[in-house]
Amino acid sequence: MADLRMRDLPALHRLLAAADVEELFGRYPRTRVREALREVLADLRRRIERGDQVPASAIAPAAIAEETRRRLDYLEDGLRRVINATGVVLHTNLGRAPLAPSAARAAAAAGGGYSDLEFDRESGRRGSRQDHLESLLGRLTGAPAALVVNNNAAAVFLVLRTFAAGRETVISRGELVEIGGSFRIPDVMRESGSLLREVGTTNRTHLRDYEQAIGADTAALLRVHPSNFRQIGFTARVEGEELAALAQRSGVLFLEDLGSGALVPLGDEPTVAAVLASGADLVTMSGDKLLGGPQAGIVLGRGELVAQLRRAPLYRAMRPDKMTIAALAETLRLYLMEGPAAVPALRMLRATEDELKAAARSLRRKLRRAGVPCELVALEGRAGGGSLPETTLPSWGVALGGEDLEGLHQRLRIGHPSVVGRIEGERLLLDVRTVLPGEDDELAKAVARAYALNA
Ligand SMILES: *Cc1c(COP(=O)(O)O)cnc(C)c1O
């Protein structure tokens, strides 16, 4: 192969007239195309200067146009849609809960127009749509009051900051957890200005441990859901009722950070209603874990406490935007009007083995028809998002074999839409539990395409 020289590079004006580049002008603004084209040429020039082996095919107008198009991708490459074939329902890296179609539409409508976000239509004065969320949440959980913020980390922080800054918060050593994405209870407490008063031991904490720790400086007892881990063996944890009673006797608050927060029974998770009924003054939870809504943090509990949170200056920095409010309200409405099965994350978590096996068979049929050899496999899915860590969800899917599974998986990931499964041993596994209704044809096509390219 003869080495390319600088003068072999096509001139910009010639490229601009080439058919492949012409086509880019139809899709992108001229200035952006020229800019990207210049970058591609500058790169090639640098490589030639360095003495790199640049194949002649790399400077063909079609190749340069292709590279230019790749660089222009940034204009369109927002969040790429992913078909989740991991079997992990609340996959934090993939955006946790998928919204119900009507909740996604509600968010889009709120985003694309004006709404009564902070407007009372009757009086024509300032109002708040948080009132509407509060009444929906009240119906679903029995909470007298509620406030929604951007995420549960913010909810925990706001509560501690407002009620325990400069004073002590008592917490069991067994509950100083770290949640994915580096949310660590001790760090959040420190940042909030509350002094961490750890009690008990890693595996066992008793009521008397809390009792002995309560003093003049105590602001609250905090109980944190262990979320992503379970303790087994010689363990003891104090029940919420007992802590609520102790807090009341001692004149301090009892706060419970539930993390996932299930509105309906799921696995061995206590429902939010049950936790509130057991006497917590304030409960905090996520909107996009077991609730199945948008990213949000929800504080539920006593009216005068929630009112204080609403007045806190910090709340302003944490208040959710209109699209979140619209999506959350619609998700809650679905629970009340149509039941939890209308919420995709809940439907996935509760899908039966029979349903999943039928869906996996159908995927296998589509793949085989497209020339992709694969087998039906029994799998174990998970809730994810730090929820129900001990509960494995018996699931079904298809397994692909082959030489270069990593290569195949990468091709799937970088495709449009992207497909994410998992590799176990010598197999690429696609779990159908987390594949949304209507995505199966696309999934089969994407796999067939990647399989053919990888062959
Ligand atoms: C997940 C979780 C959080 C953080 O919630 P985000 O909504 O992710 O901010 C806090 N506490 C517990 C116990 C959790 O499980």
Side-chain angles (χ1 to χ4, degrees):
M1 176 172 50
D3 274 4
L4 281 176
R5 270 175 281 166
M6 215 58 96
R7 62 160 190 269
D8 298 324
L9 273 182
L12 184 64
H13 72 270
R14 277 198 31 226
L15 282 170
L16 290 172
D20 298 291
V21 175
E22 198 75 37
E23 193 242 342
L24 294 176
F25 285 133
R27 293 178 48 199
Y28 302 100
R30 291 190 89 84
T31 49
R32 294 282 96 82
V33 176
R34 276 169 175 276
E35 190 179 86
L37 205 48
R38 280 208 189 87
E39 280 174 22
V40 173
L41 287 173
D43 258 16
L44 285 167
R45 222 172 276 129
R46 259 194 304 277
R47 286 169 61 193
I48 294 171
E49 260 166 23
R50 267 205 314 260
D52 290 0
Q53 289 277 321
V54 179
S57 60
I59 63 162
I64 290 178
E66 175 57 23
E67 178 57 20
T68 305
R69 193 195 54 73
R70 209 184 55 74
R71 281 178 194 241
L72 288 165
D73 263 359
Y74 79 92
L75 289 166
E76 292 182 343
D77 216 13
L79 290 179
R80 172 98 45 106
R81 187 160 68 85
V82 171
I83 294 180
N84 177 3
T86 63
V88 181
V89 178
L90 304 169
H91 200 301
T92 299
N93 301 147
L94 303 183
R96 286 200 190 149
L99 293 176
S102 64
R105 280 196 301 276
Y114 297 104
S115 59
D116 59 349
L117 179 70
E118 294 194 350
F119 183 66
D120 182 67
R121 284 172 284 123
E122 208 138 312
S123 67
R125 296 211 189 88
R126 193 190 165 94
S128 170
R129 287 320 274 162
Q130 285 258 4
D131 299 347
H132 176 52
L133 287 175
E134 187 170 55
S135 81
L136 291 169
L137 286 163
R139 268 166 225 276
L140 283 160
T141 67
L147 186 69
V148 176
V149 292
N150 283 329
N151 49 48
N152 189 35
V156 175
F157 183 78
L158 181 65
V159 166
L160 291 172
R161 176 92 191 170
T162 307
F163 298 110
R167 298 175 64 206
E168 286 182 1
T169 300
V170 183
I171 180 170
S172 159
R173 288 198 167 88
E175 297 176 9
L176 294 171
V177 297
E178 173 177 311
I179 316 289
S182 69
F183 175 91
R184 307 175 107 194
I185 288 289
D187 296 348
V188 173
M189 290 184 72
R190 183 162 18 77
E191 291 288 324
S192 76
S194 183
L195 305 163
L196 172 69
R197 179 73 191 264
E198 320 171 23
V199 296
T201 60
T202 306
N203 57 328
R204 289 172 72 82
T205 303
H206 307 282
L207 189 64
R208 62 174 185 277
D209 295 321
Y210 288 94
E211 260 164 346
Q212 285 160 9
I214 295 177
D217 267 349
T218 309
L221 310 183
L222 173 63
R223 194 169 187 264
V224 177
H225 193 293
S227 298
N228 47 12
F229 78 107
R230 279 282 179 281
Q231 289 195 323
I232 52 163
F234 190 54
T235 63
R237 190 171 183 235
V238 183
E239 289 300 323
E241 283 94 344
E242 294 177 86
L243 287 179
L246 173 62
Q248 197 167 27
R249 280 203 302 282
S250 318
V252 302
L253 292 177
F254 173 41
L255 313 171
E256 181 139 8
D257 177 23
L258 273 184
S260 291
L263 294 184
V264 294
L266 281 170
D268 51 7
E269 212 46 30
T271 63
V272 180
V275 171
L276 281 162
S278 73
D281 292 303
L282 288 175
V283 166
T284 48
M285 61 179 275
S286 280
D288 54 350
K289 290 187 184 172
L290 294 178
L291 189 151
Q295 179 189 304
I298 301 171
V299 189
L300 300 158
R302 279 168 47 198
E304 71 278 18
L305 300 176
V306 172
Q308 225 172 308
L309 293 173
R310 201 173 279 132
R311 286 194 303 271
L314 200 60
Y315 164 63
R316 178 75 197 183
M318 299 176 172
R319 93 199 149 107
D321 86 308
K322 57 190 174 186
M323 290 184 277
T324 302
I325 290 177
L328 182 57
E330 174 57 20
T331 305
L332 297 172
R333 193 194 67 83
L334 287 174
Y335 270 95
L336 288 165
M337 305 283 284
E338 296 176 28
V343 177
L346 275 281
R347 195 171 50 231
M348 289 174 182
L349 287 166
R350 292 173 154 192
T352 65
E353 272 200 76
D354 285 347
E355 289 164 0
L356 296 166
K357 194 168 183 179
R361 278 218 182 90
S362 154
L363 178 61
R364 178 182 61 176
R365 196 165 48 244
K366 286 175 180 155
L367 285 173
R368 285 186 172 170
R369 210 177 285 148
V372 183
C374 60
E375 299 302 327
L376 199 69
V377 276
L379 298 170
E380 281 190 346
R382 277 180 300 123
S387 312
L388 314 173
E390 277 300 277
T391 315
T392 49
L393 308 165
S395 194
W396 285 88
V398 299
L400 280 73
E403 290 292 294
D404 180 20
L405 286 180
E406 290 292 346
L408 179 61
H409 200 198
Q410 187 188 42
R411 268 187 208 287
L412 285 170
R413 290 196 307 267
I414 64 178
H416 288 269
S418 171
V419 174
V420 183
R422 65 178 197 271
I423 292 178
E424 257 176 40
E426 308 285 282
R427 301 183 306 176
L428 174 61
L429 305 174
L430 303 171
D431 189 323
V432 295
R433 179 187 297 274
T434 44
V435 176
L436 292 168
E439 278 184 340
D440 50 345
D441 279 329
E442 264 183 309
L443 172 59
K445 275 201 199 101
V447 174
R449 214 164 33 233
Y451 189 82
L453 285 168
N454 218 49

